[in-house]
Amino acid sequence: MEKRSNKYYLTLSLKEYANGETQPARELGIEFDNHDEIFGIIQKIKDKNLFDNPGEATQFAIGLKLFSEIKLKYRKNPLFDELNEVFPVFMKKLKDL
């Protein structure tokens, strides 16, 4: 039986370049699956007050969930060898905060 997962669509838009220009406009959208309900994770991270800005908590949560889902899917890939040892420790620390 196939594991069920949440389906998401994420849009990333470049609002302004470092030099102040707004053109050319850039945007991408990606569809992805994740076993977690990411909106709930975002709120949990915000509630922990780990960062000065709630927007940074959102960035952290989204980045972490996107990264960790790929890391989990490809855990046997040698690229993740070192992370496979420390990542569970990091996640436990985060959840215990």
Side-chain angles (χ1 to χ4, degrees), residues 27-92:
E27 186 171 287
L28 67 85
I30 58 167
E31 290 184 31
F32 63 97
D33 297 342
N34 196 288
H35 69 276
D36 285 319
E37 197 283 293
I38 296 176
F39 290 98
I41 301 283
I42 291 168
Q43 191 57 54
K44 285 179 184 177
I45 297 294
K46 284 181 177 180
D47 291 347
K48 291 178 186 285
N49 293 314
L50 300 172
F51 307 102
D52 295 335
N53 177 324
E56 291 172 340
T58 300
Q59 289 176 57
F60 174 76
I62 292 171
L64 180 63
K65 291 314 303 171
L66 289 171
F67 173 76
S68 63
E69 195 75 7
I70 295 298
K71 192 198 83 51
L72 184 62
K73 182 176 181 181
Y74 293 99
R75 64 182 159 268
K76 294 187 189 303
N77 185 315
L79 175 65
F80 297 115
D81 284 349
E82 291 82 8
L83 286 176
N84 288 334
E85 297 175 23
V86 296
F87 199 73
V89 175
F90 169 78
M91 290 302 294
K92 182 174 179 353

Side-chain angles (χ1 to χ4, degrees), residues 1-20:
M1 183 172 172
E2 184 179 332
K3 277 188 172 181
R4 296 188 55 89
S5 60
N6 299 298
K7 300 191 178 309
Y8 293 94
Y9 187 85
L10 179 68
T11 302
L12 179 67
S13 301
L14 178 61
K15 290 180 65 169
E16 183 178 311
Y17 291 88
N19 65 5

